[in-house]
Amino acid sequence: MNKQSTVSLVLGSGAARGLAHIGVIEWLSEHGYRIESIAGASMGALVGGIYAAGELDSYKQWLLALEKMDVIRFLDLAFSSEGLFKGDRLMDVLREMVGDRNIEDLPITYTAVACDLDRQREVWLTDGALFDAIRASIAIPTVFTPHRYRGMKLLDGGLLNPVPIAPTFKDMTDLTIAVDLNGMRDEGVASNMKVTGESVPATSGRRHATVQRFLDSIQNSIAQRRPSDLGLFDLLSSSFETMQNAISSIKLATYAPDILIQIPRSACKAYEFDRAAELIELGHAMASEAFSDAGAE
């Protein structure tokens, strides 16, 4: 395979596991592949949009400096029945880093996938404000409030299309490469990756500690409880992941990419954005492995 091949890159949804997308992009760049089109859902839309805007390195350096308390600091409570957090604080930080950009002005073809809640359909955002598209695509149900945009109430694109290959069908590129963040569980990945072990400082106050305990409870207790003992947020998180896994399997079986890179869903918890260095390294390693298996490295 010619390493000067042009690429349509499909970046899947999967919360903090989406930081592995950075490692994948870096591996492709190091090996001479030219990314000319990106389609992304949720974190795939976020990472892909920042890359398309030419600011992935700045975003990576910002991530590498994040600590656990920083992650909590960017969560602005919504006080709404539609979601726990507004997401405005995070979007403001990223907008300051990247600048206000319109999708049609980006040097790379870009599509963010979202879900139109009222019409129950998939929406492809291919023009307009970049951060409106990203905010819509990352609106995880119950976590972030829906994003109202162009007369629609939009939610996380991973609800209907966790690995959005279809937006790349008309691309005139040599390869379609998809990154699935819902790969088969590999407990070895989680155990071999470094865990920070940092605790929330006592001086940070009860509010931060309470938020951290809540976030921990969303995922941490699932494996320790019987199905009948699941709490509401445990059940929602587990159900969302199960749904995404099922949809991903169907989509990938129907529309197989030329190269599929799979990140194990056991790699980290959904909100462990403070583990950026490990996840970026994992994405780099999984890209190398996928290309080696395909005889294309």
Side-chain angles (χ1 to χ4, degrees):
M1 187 178 298
N2 186 350
K3 291 185 179 180
Q4 294 301 315
S5 296
T6 56
V7 169
S8 293
L9 184 61
V10 179
L11 301 177
S13 63
R17 292 193 300 277
L19 300 185
H21 290 320
I22 298 173
V24 171
I25 291 171
E26 290 182 340
W27 188 95
L28 291 172
S29 178
E30 290 166 9
H31 289 77
Y33 293 94
R34 300 199 316 274
I35 300 169
E36 295 192 348
S37 170
I38 290 179
S42 197
M43 271 301 291
L46 192 154
V47 173
I50 292 175
Y51 172 75
E55 295 294 340
L56 188 63
D57 188 61
S58 297
Y59 178 57
K60 175 184 174 180
Q61 297 309 313
W62 177 75
L63 286 168
L64 293 176
L66 281 182
E67 297 182 357
K68 188 173 295 186
M69 286 309 304
D70 294 321
V71 176
I72 296 173
R73 184 163 54 87
F74 290 121
L75 299 176
D76 44 354
L77 293 174
F79 301 104
S80 167
S81 61
E82 292 189 320
L84 289 169
F85 307 109
K86 292 182 291 184
D88 294 344
R89 192 175 299 165
L90 175 61
M91 289 297 104
D92 288 344
V93 170
L94 296 178
R95 190 178 288 107
E96 183 177 347
M97 182 188 308
V98 176
D100 281 317
R101 307 288 290 273
N102 285 330
I103 295 172
E104 58 269 30
D105 296 330
L106 299 175
I108 295 173
T109 302
Y110 171 80
T111 303
V113 176
C115 172
D116 181 343
L117 183 61
D118 293 330
R119 297 172 181 81
Q120 299 182 354
R121 66 180 185 183
E122 185 177 330
V123 175
W124 298 355
L125 300 171
T126 58
D127 62 359
L130 173 62
F131 281 100
D132 274 318
I134 290 174
R135 175 60 181 86
S137 192
I138 67 167
I140 303 170
T142 74
V143 178
F144 287 112
T145 56
H147 186 57
R148 288 168 173 79
Y149 184 55
R150 295 179 173 176
M152 298 176 287
K153 185 186 291 187
L154 300 176
L155 286 173
D156 193 307
L159 277 168
L160 294 178
N161 202 346
V163 190
I165 296 176
T168 69
F169 282 173
K170 294 183 179 180
D171 292 347
M172 301 299 291
T173 52
D174 300 316
L175 293 172
T176 298
I177 300 170
V179 186
D180 176 20
L181 301 180
N182 295 289
M184 294 294 292
R185 293 187 181 275
D186 182 350
E187 301 305 329
V189 171
S191 62
N192 289 334
M193 292 177 69
K194 180 181 176 183
V195 179
T196 61
E198 295 176 358
S199 58
V200 177
T203 56
S204 63
R206 292 183 179 179
R207 178 181 176 187
H208 289 309
T210 300
V211 172
Q212 183 64 52
R213 285 196 299 271
F214 166 72
L215 292 172
D216 283 336
S217 73
I218 293 179
Q219 299 228 347
N220 203 31
S221 62
I222 294 175
Q224 302 174 2
R225 298 181 180 182
R226 298 171 306 191
S228 59
D229 293 332
L230 287 176
L232 175 61
F233 291 105
D234 298 330
L235 183 60
L236 286 171
S237 177
S238 182
S239 299
F240 189 54
E241 183 176 272
T242 300
M243 179 186 68
Q244 285 192 313
N245 294 342
I247 296 173
S248 294
S249 298
I250 294 170
K251 295 285 187 181
L252 291 170
T254 305
Y255 309 117
D258 297 299
I259 301 286
L260 175 63
I261 300 167
Q262 291 192 301
I263 307 299
R265 54 184 181 270
S266 59
C268 71
K269 296 177 184 177
Y271 54 86
E272 290 186 313
F273 290 91
D274 55 306
R275 296 176 65 185
E278 305 158 51
L279 292 163
I280 292 169
E281 182 180 353
L282 177 63
H284 193 281
M286 292 296 99
S288 178
E289 181 177 312
F291 273 77
S292 179
D293 290 345
E297 188 173 11

